[in-house]
Every structure is written in C-alpha cells, then in structure tokens.
Amino acid sequence: MADWAPSPASWSFSAQKRFETCPRSYFYRRFWGHLPGDLKWRCFEMRSLETMAAFRGKAVHSVIAGCLRSASRGEPVDRDQARRRLAGALREGFGQSARGWWSNKQRPSELKIGQVTSLREHYYGWERDEVERAAGEAQRHARSCVDSLLDSDLWRAVSAAPESRWALIEGERPASFYLDGVLVYMKVDFAYWDSAPTIVDWKTGKPGDGDRSQLALYALYAQDQWGWDPLQVRLMPVYLHPTLQSDSFQAKADQLENVRQRVRRSFEEMQRLEPAPGCAADEALFPRTEDLKVCRWCTFQGACDRVSVPSPRASDASAPQGMAASQPPGR
C-alpha cells in the first residue's frame, strides 16, 4: 500500500476523546497504514475491535432503530419480538467474533472487516469462563435496556407520533455536517417533531459529563439539516439501565458557542500533527498515556510496546449469554 493515505480530516467526539486520552491510540487508528510490515495489518485488525460493553450498546441501538421502523409502518412492537431481535443480534455478532472474523483468512470473502463484530475479549484471548460471564452480563444488561424503553410512557408517545413528524432514525443515513468548515461526524439516534422539535439519544451506560455537550452539537446538526432553531430544540438523553430515566433541556447560546469552539480548537490540535501529503506520520509526536486504567481497555494493546496489563474483571465488561464462546483461532 505504497499510495496509502489516511481518510480526509474530520472531527467527532470519539476521535477527540481518543486523541486527548491517549495520542498513541489515535495514531494507531488514524495512521495504521504508515506502519511497517506485519504491524500495519495487525493495527488494521485492531481498529475494528470493540469491547463487550460497546457491542452490547450497539445491539441495543440497532434493535431500538428496528422497533422504530416497525412502528413507522404501523406494525405492532412488543417486548417478546424486541427480545428476539436483540438475542439474534447478540448471537450473530458474538459468533462472528468467536470465529475470528477480524482475520481475512477466517472471514467470508464477501464481507469486509467493518461489517462484522470483532471483540477485544476474543482477540486478546481472554479465558473462556471470563468471556462467558461477560457475555451473560451483557445480554442481561441489553435486555434490561430494551425492556425499560418498551415499557415506558416515552415509547408509547414516540411510537404513536405520525411518521410525517419523524426526521431521522439511526442508520437511515450517515450523520455528518460541516461546522465552521470542519467535517463533523456523529450518530443521531432519533429526531422527530412532537410539541417541539426533539432529538432523543438512547444511553445504555451511566450519565456522563459530556452528554449535554454531545446533544448541543446535535442541535447544531438539526439546524444545518432541517432548519430547526438550535435554541428551541428539545434535547433528551434517555438512560435505559437499570431503569429508564430521561433528561430534557434546550441548549443555551453559550453552550452552542462552547461546542463550536471545542470542535474548532480540538480539530486544530489534531491538524497540527497531520503529516504533509505523501509523508508518513511521526509516531513520536503521539505519546502514550501514563494512565494504566486507560491501557486496560485499549484495543491497541497488541501494537503498543508497553508491558501488558491484566485483563479487566469480567464483571466490569458486559456481553451476551447463551452463545458458544470459543478461543480465537491460531494467529
């Protein structure tokens, strides 16, 4: 891949977090094609890895999006049906990972690496009982999230809203726009018009400090896409576990300006380390974090020369139950 070049420069909350938390991890993800020999291809594999917790969250979001599409067609959605969808999504993804489909030699030729599930826990050879315990916890957690939503007044209100008022369901199209000249990517879960223009963000984990900033950015996206006044958009982070709790707020002008500045400032910091066209990125400019707690969860442990760290306790991860957890094939 002598002509390899990184993808066009862009910004997202996940890229910013990676850049600030461990610049070396950011380097491996963005500039893997500049690495020598076998390391390049191993980093290509590692880019696709996700933790069990991320996998469970992706499955929940996929099932909710499917339920919304069913509701938009006037089809009834019940808990048992949603649970079957969820179990199928978890089983399929977990099976792909257990069979080592991150490897070109193991993956069916018609599928690309980004189309399959690759779990960090399989890739780095966690003990089978650890993986199975994590799998069971993830399925219980994911099922709780789906049940919480479908049993809620919020779901009844959303599913009863006319489809003509729905602006976006996750997965219908990539969510991206230019903010002050910066290409910004995000994942908007659901947007519709109720008594006010509303954006809903399903959360499968605990509330975080950045949740409101994330939704403020979505308000700017809504302004760009649909002409909604970002100061009037109702923003709703909805936490699904252990029981449904929702927040509702409208971004203030200073919040929107802070988000704009954050994107510009962060993007400029990343751009200062971008190599000139045709040149390789300098790994030395991207130091490793000194926080070993970050290292424990890093998907690039196999590329970093830091001394390996113990696997997190299985109870700290989360992933699906009732699926054959095999060790990864020989690498």
Side-chain angles (χ1 to χ4, degrees):
M1 295 180 64
D3 298 329
W4 183 89
S7 58
S10 62
W11 187 93
S12 66
F13 276 106
S14 59
Q16 182 203 25
K17 183 177 181 180
R18 189 176 300 112
F19 184 80
E20 293 180 347
T21 303
C22 180
R24 183 64 54 86
S25 173
Y26 175 87
F27 170 84
Y28 288 140
R29 177 170 290 274
R30 178 149 177 76
F31 301 114
W32 63 272
H34 289 160
L35 295 167
D38 182 58
L39 180 58
K40 172 171 63 178
W41 299 112
R42 287 191 286 121
C43 278
F44 177 70
E45 291 177 346
M46 293 174 206
R47 291 175 80 251
S48 72
L49 301 181
E50 56 189 353
T51 64
M52 291 275 198
F55 168 52
R56 121 199 132 197
K58 186 169 68 175
V60 169
H61 279 74
S62 175
V63 168
I64 292 174
C67 290
L68 286 168
R69 282 189 282 272
S70 294
S72 74
R73 297 189 294 266
E75 300 171 0
V77 177
D78 61 34
R79 179 192 288 194
D80 289 342
Q81 179 189 50
R83 282 185 170 187
R84 286 193 296 271
R85 289 179 179 177
L86 178 65
L90 293 171
R91 186 181 301 110
E92 180 180 4
F94 195 77
Q96 291 172 353
S97 180
R99 291 190 289 272
W101 280 12
W102 56 77
S103 168
N104 285 334
K105 295 179 181 179
Q106 303 292 335
R107 189 172 64 253
S109 59
E110 69 273 15
L111 296 176
K112 296 181 179 180
I113 194 169
Q115 296 175 303
V116 302
T117 298
S118 302
L119 294 171
R120 187 186 69 102
E121 289 81 353
H122 281 140
Y123 191 84
Y124 289 118
W126 279 33
E127 293 294 331
R128 180 171 180 148
D129 60 345
E130 283 187 294
V131 179
E132 290 183 337
R133 282 196 298 271
E137 172 56 26
Q139 180 159 312
R140 289 186 290 272
H141 187 117
R143 182 184 292 179
S144 169
C145 290
V146 171
D147 288 352
S148 292
L149 177 61
L150 296 186
D151 291 340
S152 69
D153 292 337
L154 173 63
W155 172 256
R156 285 183 280 275
V158 165
S159 59
E163 184 189 3
S164 60
R165 294 189 176 187
W166 295 14
L168 178 67
I169 300 174
E170 179 187 6
E172 290 181 334
R173 62 178 180 270
S176 65
F177 75 120
Y178 282 92
L179 181 63
D180 299 337
V182 178
L183 177 59
V184 175
Y185 284 98
M186 69 206 73
K187 290 185 177 180
V188 178
D189 292 340
F190 183 52
Y192 75 116
W193 192 287
D194 188 17
S195 56
T198 303
I199 295 177
V200 181
D201 193 40
W202 316 117
K203 300 289 189 183
T204 61
K206 298 177 181 179
D209 293 338
D211 293 349
R212 287 198 163 209
S213 293
Q214 179 185 4
L215 280 155
L217 179 64
Y218 292 179
L220 294 173
Y221 171 79
Q223 180 185 37
D224 179 86
Q225 295 293 300
W226 308 303
W228 293 358
D229 182 347
L231 295 172
Q232 298 301 316
V233 178
R234 182 171 60 180
L235 302 169
M236 292 184 62
V238 179
Y239 304 94
L240 301 171
H241 182 80
T243 58
L244 187 143
Q245 300 181 42
S246 63
D247 189 8
S248 179
F249 69 99
Q250 292 173 317
K252 300 187 183 309
D254 61 338
Q255 285 180 295
L256 297 176
E257 181 57 29
N258 287 340
V259 169
R260 285 182 178 276
Q261 292 181 12
R262 176 178 178 176
V263 171
R264 287 197 300 265
R265 183 171 58 251
S266 173
F267 184 74
E268 289 169 0
E269 290 174 356
M270 295 175 185
Q271 285 299 102
R272 281 197 287 269
L273 300 184
E274 286 281 314
C279 298
D282 184 356
E283 184 175 351
L285 297 177
F286 299 84
R288 299 174 306 182
T289 180
E290 296 303 319
D291 185 352
L292 290 180
K293 292 191 296 292
V294 172
C295 298
R296 295 172 66 207
W297 294 102
C298 182
T299 58
F300 290 100
Q301 287 183 19
C304 188
D305 58 0
R306 168 162 283 154
V307 176
S308 61
V309 293
S311 296
R313 292 185 305 108
S315 58
D316 293 337
S318 300
Q321 176 184 16
M323 305 164 205
S326 65
Q327 291 298 314
R331 305 193 61 256

